[in-house]
Each structure stands twice: as structure tokens, then as C-alpha cells.
Amino acid sequence: MARLYQQGRTKMRRHKVFLFGALALCVLSLLQYCKALHHMLMLRELYDSSVNLKTLGFLWRGNVHSEMRPVPGPRTSDTDQGNAEVGRRIGRGGEDPWGKEQPDSGNVNRMTVTLPDPKGPWGELHKRSFHLRDDPTTFFVHSKSGAYCFREGTEMAFLNDDSGQRVQAAREGQRKILHAQQEELKSDQEKSARGERLVKCMCRQGWHGPHCGIPTMVQHSNLPTKGSLMPRMVPRRVINAININHEFDLLHARFHELADAVDLFLVCESNFTAYGNSKQLHFLHLLLNGTYNYVRHKILYIFLDHFPKGGQQNGWIADDYLRTFLSYDGMSRVQGVRPDDVFLINDADEIPAREGILFLKLYNGWTEPVSIHMRKSLYGFFWRQPGTLDVLSACTVAMLFAVYNGDGISLRRREYFSMPGFRNYQRKSGHILVQWSIGSPVHYAGWHCSWCFRPEGISHKLISAQNGDFPRWGDYIEKRDLNYIKGLIQTGGWFDGLVGEYPPTDPKEPMYAPKYLLKNFQLYRYVLENPYA
Ligand SMILES: *[C@@H]1O[C@H](CO)[C@@H](O)[C@H](O)[C@H]1NC(C)=O
Ligand SMILES: *[C@@H]1O[C@H](CO)[C@@H](O)[C@H](O)[C@H]1NC(C)=O
């Protein structure tokens, strides 16, 4: 008995030793990994300009135009010819077709927007190319003490480099001073921890790092390389690709939110619904009648004029194809793109917060691919759902082409690790690439607002929905009834009869909704406050 007990104990001890050994090994390899990561990042900046632009140019031309054409739909092979024909047909409309559109503009049914006259001032909008240029905005300035500071994130009093700013600093009042002192204390601690002698900036609330350009949503993220972030001398250009149906208010919110962080919006519209029915080009109509004039110079219009084969039977094909076409056609029309520019793809109801995207634009040293933790809500920002929606949305243009073959839908899937080009790309980049997310489960870095329409818009979305996400509520006439839909909005209920159990929200809470909507509260009240409560 005693011997048995003894044996048992020895066994236990052996197990313990083994476990401890394994644990130590784990810790060691983790440390190794961190060290390697740090090292590699120090070695070289992310894709400095020496990355072979020619290789990349070749990738595009080769891939996009020949092998990587979208999955052939019935008309893909003659797309170019087809487009030319479209242009010609539209030509009959006269010199100023969109001008004539306006008297009808209130009547959606009679709206007959086709593509603009190729000889008109707009040219062939859906074939134009866009030349990316460097953003001349001075995001960073040198302070008197020689620090290099992100202008918006730094206390004006600290910069104090001209009288105008001093006046503004005075207006800022006492409130910020206390915070600045705290922030300075913190950055002093950071300094001594890294043993550096660096003139640091004095950050405003919400901004971090020695240059005050790291927003809280990055500071509190799981980015593994926070220690080696550096402001760039020349900002990256950011390309934001989206498909649009009738999310026009959210589109205003996006444009205003991202106008200075994004250099180019690729906006794709189809004359087919996701279900495969014919549909008007509403976005084009708005683009032509001046609704988006404040950002028109940053929009490239993409027209999807066919429906993918099999999309009617399997709606997911149609769903994916929209993103594939958007990325292929869009990126093939962008000139002057650099490997370290950023490609960001969203659904129309996913709006990234400006600060996170601006960070990607202005800093070196983050890894990719990048996802975004978004606040989730239904019917409006008033029904907030628990947790966040964390969607893979961004990577460099280099990664888009080297790993994802230029296809935005692949980026949105979480499979980068097993993509055939990944290992090679990682090796060439000289970094260990790990996915990270802007924001965190408790720090929103954007907004996902599902079904955020007036009741008519929801009904419309039901009818247009793809054929694959079952049950397809648009197939039930009683679910499209406006009074029924109002009831859902009122209670936060869902089409399956479940009633939402959402906590109360307050428009004053941080990150409640995109800033532009809040600023124009009356105009967008229907998504900010429950209209039927
Ligand atoms: C553009 O058209 C839309 C929809 O027809 C209309 O509501 C809007 O007022 C028009 N905008 C301008 C600037 O004409
Ligand atoms: C969409 O536009 C293309 C090109 O103008 C045309 O050939 C096609 O018939 C249109 N489809 C629908 C459903 O309107």
C-alpha cells in the first residue's frame, strides 16, 4: 500500500517536472517570438520605397487584367465591348443628361439615370481612372523645443509656434492643462523605461505616444508592435472600397467621418440587386446631381453591369462577387498606387472611426492584416447589441496583391495564414505578420449599423436581399409590411419573432454614432433615437 502510494507520488512528481518543463518551454518560445518580432521591425520600415514597384505593377497588370478577371459571368468576356456600347447608347441623351434629370428627381420610379454622356464633362464615369497623389496636409509639426508632434493630438500651448495657435490655446482653457500634466508624467515614465532622450510632445486627451499621434483605440488595441511605431514622413494613401445599395445616409456619415483620412473612395453600384433583379442607379443619380459634391473629387465610380453566374441559386456567390468586382475593377483604375498604401474594404453599413484609419495612414510599424472592432446596433444606433463586430478590413496594397490576389473578399475572410502567397510575402516583408484589431471589445473603433433605414428602406432591403441567407424574410409579404417593420424598430425585435433585449443607450455616450450624424441630430434623428418608442 505504502509502496503504491510512494510510486504514485513519484509519478506525480515526474508529471509535475514535465509540466513545468513544458511551461518553461512555452514561455521561452514566446519570449523568442517577441524578440524576433521586435528585431525585425527595427530592421526595416514597412516596405520602404525600395520594394520593387515594378514587380507590383506587373502583378496587377498580369493578374487583374488576364488571369485574375472576375469569375466569368455571362457577359464578362465582352465587358469592355459592352461598356463601350453602354457609353454609345447613353450618348443619345444629349449634352447634359443629369441636368435634365432634376425635375424628375423627386420621383424615384421615373428616374432613368443611365451612365453619363461619354462626351460630356463627366466623361465615362465608370471607366475613368484615378491618379493617387500625396496628401499635402501637414499632419505633424515641429514644436519650439524640437519635438515632432501630431498637430491634432498635441496641446496647442505646447506647440505654441504662432500667435494664432496661442489665441486658440487660451480659448482651450484650464481644463486640459491638468490632463496634459498627467500625460507628461506618463510619457516621462515611458521615456525612462526605454532609456531614451527624446523631446516628447504633450498629448491631448485621447492621443498617445511620444508624437501624440496614436489614438486611444490603437493604444488599447492588441497591436503587438506598439513599441516601434513611428510617424511617417509621407503619409500612406488610403483607399476605401465599398458597395452601395441605398445606404445613403450612412454614406454621408462615412464620407464625413473619413474625408481627411481616406484619399480615394471606390464606390461600386450595380444595376442588379443582390437577388438578381434590375435596379436603378440611385447612387449615380445622387453623384451627378451634386449630393456628394463635398467629396466628389475623391470618389471613383464603379459600375457592375452584370450578375454572376449561379448568383440567383446561391446568393452567397452574388454577395462575394460584389466585393471581388469592386476590388478588381476599382484597383485596376487606380494609378500611382504604392505598395505601402492602405486598402480598406467595408460594407456600406460598416463605418470605421476616423482616428484609427488616420493612424494607419500616418504611422509605420503596425502589422497586417488589420481588423476593426465596431459597435453593433440594429435599426439605428439606439439598439446597441452586446460586444463588437470585429471585421478584417484593411491591409497594405502590397499584401492585397501578393496574398489575396487583389480580391477584397479574401481579405475579409480570416484565412490569410493559409493563403498560398502568405509565407513568401511575410518573408519578403521582413516582418512577422500577425492580424490585429483596431479598438478592443470595450473600445469601439467604428460602427456597424444593421438595417439602419426608415421602414421603407428596410422593406426595400428585404426585397433586394440575396438568395442564400435563409430564411429570406423578403419572401414573406407580411414581413415587408411597414407597420410590422415599425413594430420591429420600436421593440428591437427580429423577423423571426424574437424580441430584442438591449440595454438602454444614450446619444451622449462615447462612440454612440459617427460624429456627422450626431452633429446633424435633427436630420438623422430617425437613426439616433427610437422613432416609435
Ligand atoms: C438629388 O436627387 C435626390 C433624389 O432624387 C434629391 O432628393 C436631392 O434633393 C437632389 N439633390 C440636389 C442637390 O439636387
Ligand atoms: C445593366 O446594365 C447593362 C449595361 O447597360 C445592361 O446590359 C443590362 O441589361 C442591365 N441590367 C439590368 C437588369 O438592368
Side-chain angles (χ1 to χ4, degrees):
M1 192 65 203
R3 250 188 76 196
L4 250 165
Y5 179 66
Q6 196 64 35
Q7 264 179 2
R9 277 186 56 145
T10 331
K11 232 181 190 170
M12 280 269 283
R13 212 172 302 144
R14 249 185 250 140
H15 270 128
K16 269 190 197 158
V17 167
F18 177 75
L19 259 169
F20 182 79
L23 197 72
L25 217 69
C26 276
V27 171
L28 254 156
S29 49
L30 196 72
L31 280 174
Q32 281 286 335
Y33 172 76
C34 288
K35 204 173 137 197
L37 196 66
H38 190 72
H39 223 78
M40 284 174 129
L41 276 156
M42 300 301 269
L43 273 177
R44 222 183 53 181
E45 289 293 34
L46 258 161
Y47 329 117
D48 56 7
S49 42
S50 71
V51 170
N52 198 339
L53 269 164
K54 273 193 210 122
T55 320
L56 219 81
F58 160 77
L59 269 172
W60 256 248
R61 233 137 291 158
N63 287 353
V64 176
H65 290 303
S66 53
E67 306 126 66
M68 303 309 296
R69 282 282 336 170
V71 190
R75 359 183 17 264
T76 303
S77 54
D78 63 350
T79 298
D80 286 346
Q81 192 196 327
N83 284 345
E85 196 198 313
V86 175
R88 251 175 276 127
R89 234 179 303 142
I90 300 155
R92 77 196 135 88
E95 304 73 44
D96 188 16
W98 51 91
K100 293 198 181 115
E101 222 55 62
Q102 293 201 6
D104 279 354
S105 62
N107 187 342
V108 168
N109 290 330
R110 288 184 57 207
M111 199 178 76
T112 53
V113 181
T114 37
L115 298 165
D117 179 0
K119 293 191 200 73
W122 290 81
E124 289 186 278
L125 211 56
H126 62 300
K127 287 192 190 172
R128 273 194 185 172
S129 58
F130 186 97
H131 199 103
L132 273 179
R133 299 188 194 285
D134 283 326
D135 187 339
T137 312
T138 44
F139 290 102
F140 290 87
V141 288
H142 284 280
S143 76
K144 270 200 169 153
S145 52
Y148 188 58
C149 305
F150 181 54
R151 190 184 277 239
E152 180 184 337
T154 307
E155 285 294 345
M156 285 298 175
F158 178 79
L159 291 177
N160 200 20
D161 53 0
D162 70 38
S163 55
Q165 282 174 344
R166 227 172 292 135
V167 171
Q168 216 172 331
R171 278 204 217 105
E172 300 284 330
Q174 293 287 323
R175 180 176 57 84
K176 292 221 172 95
I177 292 174
L178 181 68
H179 177 77
Q181 284 162 345
Q182 291 164 347
E183 205 59 32
E184 192 184 25
L185 200 71
K186 243 194 299 180
S187 63
D188 274 349
Q189 284 162 354
E190 279 166 27
K191 191 195 296 180
S192 54
R194 287 205 285 153
E196 279 175 21
R197 295 232 11 102
L198 218 161
V199 189
K200 295 195 180 177
C201 315
M202 194 186 287
C203 300
R204 291 175 153 190
Q205 185 162 17
W207 297 96
H208 311 265
H211 311 276
C212 298
I214 301 173
T216 302
M217 61 184 72
V218 171
Q219 184 76 0
H220 289 225
S221 73
N222 64 351
L223 176 63
T225 57
K226 269 177 233 158
S228 38
L229 297 173
M230 281 299 288
R232 292 168 60 92
M233 289 299 134
V234 178
R236 301 170 200 270
R237 284 79 59 86
V238 179
I239 300 166
N240 185 199
I242 45 166
N243 282 287
I244 185 85
N245 290 301
H246 59 298
E247 304 86 352
F248 299 122
D249 286 343
L250 290 182
L251 194 60
H252 274 305
R254 167 187 309 277
F255 287 155
H256 281 98
E257 180 72 27
L258 297 175
D260 75 332
V262 166
D263 297 80
L264 170 62
F265 292 98
L266 302 174
V267 185
C268 179
E269 180 172 46
S270 177
N271 61 347
F272 288 88
T273 67
Y275 193 57
N277 291 329
S278 157
K279 107 185 216 318
Q280 298 282 339
L281 300 177
H282 292 293
F283 172 70
L284 180 64
H285 171 76
L286 296 175
L287 189 62
L288 295 180
N289 89 352
T291 299
Y292 300 109
N293 269 359
Y294 60 94
V295 68
R296 198 182 75 195
H297 58 289
K298 291 195 174 184
I299 297 175
L300 191 63
Y301 182 74
I302 294 154
F303 174 44
L304 173 55
D305 67 354
H306 54 275
F307 193 71
K309 203 185 269 176
Q312 226 123 23
Q313 293 74 40
N314 181 353
W316 296 111
I317 293 180
D319 218 50
D320 287 1
Y321 185 76
L322 281 169
R323 275 73 159 264
T324 305
F325 185 85
L326 162 67
S327 332
Y328 286 170
D329 187 77
M331 290 305 284
S332 73
R333 290 163 54 200
V334 182
Q335 287 164 6
V337 73
R338 287 194 294 249
D340 59 356
D341 288 340
V342 175
F343 180 79
L344 167 69
I345 186 166
N346 300 123
D347 283 353
D349 59 4
E350 300 165 357
I351 304 177
R354 165 183 178 268
E355 293 77 7
I357 306 308
L358 203 55
F359 165 79
L360 299 181
K361 183 185 181 77
L362 300 179
Y363 271 80
N364 272 343
W366 43 268
T367 69
E368 56 182 336
V370 183
S371 64
I372 302 174
H373 279 286
M374 287 172 289
R375 183 187 189 274
K376 284 196 294 188
S377 61
L378 183 64
Y379 305 133
F381 297 91
F382 44 87
W383 291 126
R384 188 189 74 220
Q385 301 172 311
T388 58
L389 188 70
D390 185 23
V391 180
L392 257 177
S393 323
C395 65
T396 59
V397 166
M399 184 170 188
L400 176 68
F401 284 93
V403 177
Y404 300 118
N405 300 315
D407 187 351
I409 190 69
S410 311
L411 165 61
R412 286 178 68 92
R413 302 203 176 107
R414 300 191 162 260
E415 294 157 7
Y416 69 97
F417 214 73
S418 57
M419 299 291 289
F422 179 73
R423 295 275 156 212
N424 200 24
Y425 173 70
Q426 177 168 256
R427 194 169 43 73
K428 277 193 185 153
S429 78
H431 307 284
I432 292 172
L433 297 178
V434 282
Q435 184 217 315
W436 68 286
S437 308
I438 308 179
S440 78
V442 292
H443 285 90
Y444 300 133
W447 302 267
H448 178 246
C449 198
S450 318
W451 299 83
C452 293
F453 300 101
R454 294 196 170 84
E456 298 76 16
I458 292 179
S459 180
H460 186 77
K461 179 168 166 137
L462 285 172
I463 299 166
S464 331
Q466 53 120 320
N467 191 28
D469 200 359
F470 294 111
R472 190 175 177 276
W473 302 112
D475 294 336
Y476 304 86
I477 194 160
E478 69 276 15
K479 305 281 179 192
R480 306 198 302 252
D481 177 73
L482 294 185
N483 283 321
Y484 172 75
I485 292 172
K486 280 177 195 168
L488 293 184
I489 297 176
Q490 181 182 16
T491 58
W494 188 240
F495 296 97
D496 59 5
L498 286 182
V499 173
E501 279 176 36
Y502 302 119
T505 55
D506 180 350
K508 294 200 177 58
E509 66 200 42
M511 296 294 287
Y512 180 78
K515 303 152 193 79
Y516 171 74
L517 300 181
L518 290 170
K519 225 183 274 168
N520 297 278
F521 203 95
Q522 290 309 325
L523 199 54
Y524 300 106
R525 185 177 278 272
Y526 77 100
V527 281
L528 296 171
E529 250 178 25
N530 192 336
Y532 308 106

